[in-house]
Amino acid sequence: MKRAILAAVAAIIIFPLLPVPEFWFTQANYIGLYALVVLGLVVLTGIAGLTSFGQAAFVGLGAYATAYLTSHYDVSPWLTLFAGLIITGGSALLIGAITLRMSGHYLPLATIAWSIALFYLFGSISWLGKYDGISGLPAINLFGWTLGNSRSMYWLIWLCVCLSAWALLNLLDSRPGRAIRALKHSIQMAESMGVNTARTKIIIFVIAALLASVSGWLFAHLQRAINPTPFGLSASLEYVIMLVVGGMSSIWGALLGSGAVKILQDQLQVIMPALFGRAGSFEGLVFGLLLILLLRFAPEGLWSWIAKLWNRPLRKQLPSAQQVITPLTHRTVSQAGETLLQVDDVRKRFGGLVAVDKVSFKVAAGEIVGLIGPNGAGKSTTFNLVTGLLRASEGQVRFKGQRIDGLPSREIAKLGVARTFQHVKLVPEMSVLENVALGAHLRTSAGVFSATLRLDRRDEAAMLKEAAHALQRVGLQDLMHLEAGSLALGQQRLLEIARALCCDPALLLLDEPAAGLRAFEKQALAELLSSLRAEGMGILIVEHDMEFVMRLTDHIVVMVFGQKIAEGKPAEIQQHPAVLEAYLGGVE
Ligand SMILES: Nc1ncnc2c1ncn2[C@@H]1O[C@H](COP(=O)(O)OP(=O)(O)OP(=O)(O)O)[C@@H](O)[C@H]1O
């Protein structure tokens, strides 16, 4: 990665030293301006899965802020840069707060509406020059050097691109970066790991808008005149096209996509009229066809081809044995026998269906409780009620005496409750190690600012060390640098257990942990859970493998059709007439 960054920076520095005509400087500048916007989209759309068709409007805010203030009030462009960032950041915060809670198609539609509205606003305000815009903008002055032409602006534009790409690469390789990458795959999982997903979404929406604003500022002072046309919906769509062409989830793809689309569009404008003798007839059509072909043969964008050649390993530098790392703090272990979880008369209705019907049970520290029952009995629903993914219709859930029903899952995680999922939820393209490190999200506080500036390395090293330790406990230490999505299902379940252990829980909830494991892996899992019990952890386990449950658990709760029909020690449950009739009878 470091070599790729050096090569890119070297190419950017060498380019202007070559005897290239002025036209190519203009091209390079526009590619840089587009790349700034697309970089934001990579994080927002490609990585976090939040589609925005409104980025050009943010470019417009940055451009209009500087155009108006510099041309009307003679303010320095360096001050207007910050004015633009404040206006854009404020707008993004407001729009993000309103729209980012929307799911499905609502968010893209809302951003389209925003894009169209702002375009007409720019075009209808008289002090912004209506559709004629604002002209006569000053050139940017940098330490006495006037950036008055394409050649001089090249340096500033590409400095901004390099700094932004570096900051985003840093961000993605950090605690908040892992939270961002989790958003696209499972909000529920991210929340269960303690991530405030609503806040994270707004933060990246604002970051993407700020990058667009910087692009607008540079654009305005490159052109020295602006009008609403480059900030309309079609420009927003072009940014999305660049994103898709380059590769949705790659920082490098943003640069490649911006370059490829800009050069292709310009070349088609030269080649097509030369071939067909008329300008403006076939360029769009051919561009569209090429785009369709690209999507057919490189659905993950052009960068995916290069990445395959390069075969980038996911290996992360782990702290060496000699390196002194302040370990993450652990919570105080509960006294064995202390009640951790208390579920009282909990009921959950889904419309007319009562999935959990007045169920009560307890889990103490140093105890493994099995929650068993046939398919559809309400076990996973009970898990979701305990961990805050669902709200109980009636009843109470307490953790260490404190009511937790009604709390969001990230607050419950903070108290010391960690879980795995019946249907594995992980970030498949992220390494096994980083997936597990996501579990330690609440144990450090490194934020976006420190991550982008690389000030979080101590915390990061401690998190990775903790994650490596958790992987060792579940026996996946040799696979830590693989993509999580490449693991077998059983191994993915073990990964989820390691991730939950990384939360440093007092209570661990495991939903079918042994499913997909081979006999010797089940044996190793049973040993791990026994040792966690000996350390004072409380464990609630849903499992269909009766031999595993009977051998491991101290206490069993049996549910059928949402109701608790029995509870007791494994030996009692095996003899319980209601259980034999309703459940185990069929199995034995
Ligand atoms: N979000 C939901 N909306 C409507 N019904 C639901 C929802 N979640 C679960 N159910 C229903 O609630 C009942 C209990 O489901 P649940 O998944 O809790 O059972 P389970 O005991 O975990 O089953 P399994 O062992 O098959 O996972 C089922 O009838 C299920 O269809």
Side-chain angles (χ1 to χ4, degrees), residues 337-517:
E338 179 195 341
T339 300
L340 295 176
L341 177 71
Q342 189 166 349
V343 177
D344 283 330
D345 286 334
V346 161
R347 179 177 266 167
K348 179 66 190 173
R349 280 191 213 94
F350 293 113
L353 175 85
V354 183
V356 176
D357 193 5
K358 289 211 161 262
V359 168
S360 304
F361 62 90
K362 286 181 186 176
V363 181
E367 179 187 38
I368 301 182
V369 174
L371 186 58
I372 65 169
N375 291 339
K379 305 176 299 288
S380 295
T381 305
T382 305
F383 259 42
N384 291 339
L385 293 171
V386 170
T387 53
L389 292 184
L390 289 174
R391 258 171 198 234
S393 313
E394 284 170 37
Q396 297 182 354
V397 183
R398 285 192 162 77
F399 179 70
K400 290 187 178 175
Q402 177 187 341
R403 278 204 54 182
I404 58 170
D405 49 283
L407 287 185
S409 41
R410 62 174 180 279
E411 295 299 330
I412 296 174
K414 221 177 260 177
L415 296 172
V417 180
R419 67 169 294 174
T420 66
F421 293 86
Q422 182 184 11
H423 304 290
V424 173
K425 294 183 196 296
L426 35 78
V427 187
E429 67 279 359
M430 202 157 78
S431 74
V432 170
L433 181 69
E434 284 203 272
N435 266 283
V436 174
L438 188 58
H441 186 83
L442 286 171
R443 298 173 68 189
T444 71
S445 55
V448 169
F449 185 73
S450 61
T452 49
L453 296 181
R454 244 6 191 198
L455 304 174
D456 62 340
R457 292 300 94 181
R458 275 169 180 276
D459 278 354
E460 182 67 8
M463 288 172 96
L464 293 181
K465 196 169 175 185
E466 185 78 13
H469 177 65
L471 279 168
Q472 189 143 24
R473 290 204 81 172
V474 302
L476 289 184
Q477 66 276 16
D478 295 335
L479 308 178
M480 66 170 80
H481 298 300
L482 296 182
E483 269 188 12
S486 70
L487 300 189
L489 184 62
Q491 293 170 328
Q492 292 187 354
R493 289 193 180 282
L494 293 176
L495 184 161
E496 282 212 336
I497 296 173
R499 187 179 63 197
L501 291 180
C502 233
C503 302
D504 186 31
L507 176 68
L508 182 61
L509 283 82
L510 303 175
D511 204 340
E512 299 191 23
L517 295 191

